[in-house]
């Protein structure tokens, strides 16, 4: 690389600040309640900007994304690679308030150092530079022995991709366990969510803008967990390199992932509390909804059912994707211990139970989720990307569901 320019915009910082406001609710009486709460939001934005600057500088040096880096075990204050897309590491404090003090680590990671060492190392022989192939291969083999892996863009697509470790905006070595933890943080933050999440003299309707990233706080970790279902762990193998050959994700890990992902279809989790709904007025003149807001089928008013639909559609697109469904059929045929497509569909259909005495709104959300599941099954049954067995199973499950409803 002879020359590279890095340009950073403000959109990402704005989103980070919205996330921090939603998590911390820092505006008691409309103003920052404590310097530390307000500073934590600003600090998270600056930490993300610092990481982004390092990431883009890595590109100017010729480095590609490594979307499997975050799955490698590492301390919370360190990174494995700035060339991954990081999610903020949010924990819960003893007081029940989300803690952002470890949101983004400092410095470059061990994968970045390996990449630069391999790409830029100069070897000397008799006072002259030369390419030492054996030494270069040793850099790679030593890295491989530590457990570091490299998986880039083509294998990290959110929908349909098979790799269980290559994800964007995720955390943790176990995607399903991290999704469970993320949902706990989301639930705690939603319990505290209210007017303290926006400044004084801010239109109350803008509370909806801050709600969006919190309501969907689990979305990227859901993608990560879903990829374990019908997943295949693999490397970019070269003959003789000693790397592992492709392995289907362990059946127990797939079932854990399925159980975790199905939590995101729970009507209880998706139904917003009445006190919050009562404080969301229609948008004032000059402040219309944008593509960043939830859609509404209720005209000018906030629509909690369509809001739930937005989250559900994302999960079902992942679960009932034709490529994933075809893999489930294949892997179960190879090994009956692997979860089948039928297992996944039936678990999905049974995931929307609500407790006795559920509110009318929660029951309405359940009906909406059930409708979305049926629609997703219809799309799967009719997809031109289906294998014959996938199409047959989807149609069978639709027929069975119809019989139960009659």
């Amino acid at each position: 690389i002879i020359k590279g320019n890095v340009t950073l915009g403000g959109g990402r910082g704005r989103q980070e600040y919205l996330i921090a406001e939603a998590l911390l609710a820092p505006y008691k009486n409309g103003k920052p309640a404590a310097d530390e709460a307000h500073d934590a939001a600003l600090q998270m934005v600056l930490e993300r900007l610092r990481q982004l600057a390092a990431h883009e500088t890595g590109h100017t040096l010729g480095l590609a994304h490594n979307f499997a880096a975050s799955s490698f075990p590492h301390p919370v204050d360190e990174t494995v690679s700035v060339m991954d897309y990081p999610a903020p590491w949010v924990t819960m404090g003893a007081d029940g308030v989300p803690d952002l003090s470890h949101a983004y680590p400092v410095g470059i990671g061990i994968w970045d150092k390996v990449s630069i060492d391999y790409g830029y190392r100069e070897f000397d022989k008799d006072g002259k530079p030369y390419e030492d192939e054996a030494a270069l291969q040793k850099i790679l083999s030593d890295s491989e022995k530590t457990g570091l892996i490299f998986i880039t863009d083509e294998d990290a697509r959110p929908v349909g991709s098979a790799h269980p470790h290559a994800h964007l905006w995720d955390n943790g070595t176990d995607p399903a366990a991290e999704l469970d933890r993320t949902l706990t943080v989301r639930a705690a933050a939603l319990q505290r969510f209210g007017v303290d999440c926006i400044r004084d003299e801010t239109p109350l309707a803008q509370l909806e803008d801050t709600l969006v990233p919190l309501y969907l706080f689990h979305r990227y970790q859901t993608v990560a967990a879903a990829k374990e279902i019908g997943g295949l762990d693999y490397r970019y193998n070269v003959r003789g390199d000693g790397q592992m050959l492709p392995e289907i994700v362990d059946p127990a890990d797939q079932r854990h992932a399925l159980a975790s992902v199905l939590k995101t279809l729970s009507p209880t989790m998706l139904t917003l509390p009445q006190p919050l709904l009562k404080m969301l007025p229609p948008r004032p003149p000059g402040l219309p909804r944008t593509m960043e807001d939830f859609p509404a089928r209720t005209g000018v008013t906030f629509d909690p059912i369509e809001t739930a639909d937005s989250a559900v559609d994302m999960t079902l697109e992942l679960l009932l994707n034709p490529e994933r469904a075809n893999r489930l059929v294949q892997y179960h045929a190879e090994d009956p211990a692997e979860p089948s497509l039928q297992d996944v569909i039936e678990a999905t259909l049974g995931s929307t139970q609500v407790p006795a005495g559920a509110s009318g709104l929660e029951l309405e959300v359940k009906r909406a989720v059930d409708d979305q599941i049926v629609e997703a099954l219809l799309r799967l049954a009719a997809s031109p990307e289906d294998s014959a067995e996938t199409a047959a199973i989807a149609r069978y499950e639709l027929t069975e569901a119809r019989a139960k409803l009659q």
Side-chain angles (χ1 to χ4, degrees):
I1 303 297
I2 304 301
K3 183 178 188 294
N5 292 330
V6 174
T7 301
L8 302 178
R12 198 179 305 273
R14 175 179 168 275
Q15 286 297 318
E16 289 291 328
Y17 199 77
L18 282 173
I19 292 170
E21 287 180 316
L23 289 169
L24 297 175
Y27 306 119
K28 302 296 181 185
N29 300 316
K31 297 176 181 173
D35 289 341
E36 58 268 22
H38 185 233
D39 288 349
L42 290 175
Q43 187 62 32
M44 188 171 97
V45 173
L46 293 173
E47 287 174 1
R48 179 66 183 93
L49 188 63
R50 177 184 62 205
Q51 192 281 337
L52 179 61
H55 175 100
E56 302 302 343
T57 300
H59 282 319
T60 72
L61 294 171
L63 302 189
H65 294 132
N66 184 359
F67 289 128
S70 60
S71 67
F72 187 79
H74 60 282
V76 297
D77 289 326
E78 296 180 13
T79 185
V80 176
S81 175
V82 296
M83 302 313 297
D84 203 340
Y85 281 9
W89 179 254
V90 182
T91 58
M92 294 302 300
D95 56 359
V97 178
D99 181 359
L100 307 183
S101 60
H102 301 288
Y104 295 106
V106 179
I108 62 173
I110 51 177
W111 172 258
D112 308 317
K113 295 173 184 177
V114 168
S115 301
I116 295 299
D117 193 21
Y118 180 84
Y120 286 87
R121 173 63 64 90
E122 292 186 350
F123 299 94
D124 179 83
K125 185 176 183 180
D126 299 329
K128 296 179 181 179
Y130 84 114
E131 290 292 311
D132 189 334
E133 289 295 332
L136 288 172
Q137 286 303 314
K138 187 175 186 304
I139 292 172
L140 297 182
S141 61
D142 287 348
S143 172
E144 195 273 333
K145 289 174 184 176
T146 69
L148 281 170
I149 62 175
F150 168 71
I151 303 292
T152 193
D153 298 55
E154 292 84 352
D155 299 281
R157 292 178 295 116
V159 179
S161 56
H163 206 289
H165 301 306
H167 320 299
L168 288 62
W169 318 114
D170 70 308
N171 278 313
T173 59
D174 183 333
E178 179 59 19
L179 175 56
D180 294 337
R181 197 190 69 83
T182 298
L183 289 172
T184 300
V185 173
R186 174 189 179 275
L190 274 173
Q191 285 294 318
R192 303 176 63 251
F193 189 86
V195 293
D196 289 343
C197 293
I198 57 174
R199 293 175 180 270
D200 198 18
E201 299 184 358
T202 298
L204 201 55
Q206 283 192 250
L207 196 60
E208 180 183 343
D209 302 343
T210 310
L211 174 64
V212 172
L214 177 57
Y215 189 81
L216 299 177
F217 187 65
H218 62 290
R219 64 195 185 280
Y220 293 113
Q221 199 62 45
T222 301
V223 174
K227 286 202 224 171
E228 290 197 285
I229 305 165
L232 185 73
D233 193 0
Y234 60 92
R235 308 291 183 265
Y236 300 136
N237 300 87
V238 175
R239 181 177 177 179
D241 66 4
Q243 294 192 89
M244 64 168 278
L245 294 176
E247 293 181 0
I248 299 171
V249 174
D250 184 89
D253 291 338
Q254 291 194 53
R255 289 189 168 87
H256 179 193
L258 178 60
S260 298
V261 170
L262 291 180
K263 292 178 182 178
T264 69
L265 299 181
S266 163
T268 302
M269 188 212 85
L270 293 164
T271 303
L272 288 166
Q274 280 295 324
L276 172 58
L277 294 176
K278 289 180 177 179
M279 66 176 72
L280 291 173
R283 314 284 291 198
L287 195 67
R289 282 195 176 93
T290 71
M291 62 184 297
E292 292 183 356
D293 294 306
F294 289 119
R297 295 182 178 178
T298 54
V300 298
T301 65
F302 182 80
D303 186 344
I305 298 172
E306 190 67 10
T307 293
D309 270 354
S310 299
V312 169
D313 184 63
M314 173 198 71
T315 296
L316 293 175
E317 185 181 18
L318 298 166
L319 269 183
L320 302 181
N321 168 266
E323 295 170 348
R324 190 173 317 285
N326 294 341
R327 289 198 300 273
L328 284 164
V329 170
Q330 176 196 330
Y331 295 162
H332 182 70
E334 294 176 12
D335 181 359
E338 299 290 337
S340 67
L341 174 58
Q342 206 160 347
D343 293 335
V344 171
I345 292 174
E346 291 177 3
T348 302
L349 287 166
S351 66
T352 63
Q353 299 303 311
V354 295
S359 69
L361 181 59
E362 188 171 336
L363 290 171
E364 198 59 42
V365 169
K366 171 183 164 48
R367 295 185 188 100
V369 177
D370 288 339
D371 180 69
Q372 286 268 55
I373 293 173
V374 171
E375 290 287 343
L377 273 175
L378 287 168
R379 289 193 297 270
L380 178 62
S383 173
E385 298 175 3
D386 286 351
S387 68
E389 185 68 10
T390 293
I393 291 171
R395 290 166 187 162
Y396 169 80
E397 291 295 341
L398 281 166
T399 302
E400 286 293 293
R402 179 183 179 183
K404 291 175 183 177
L405 291 173
Q406 288 178 340

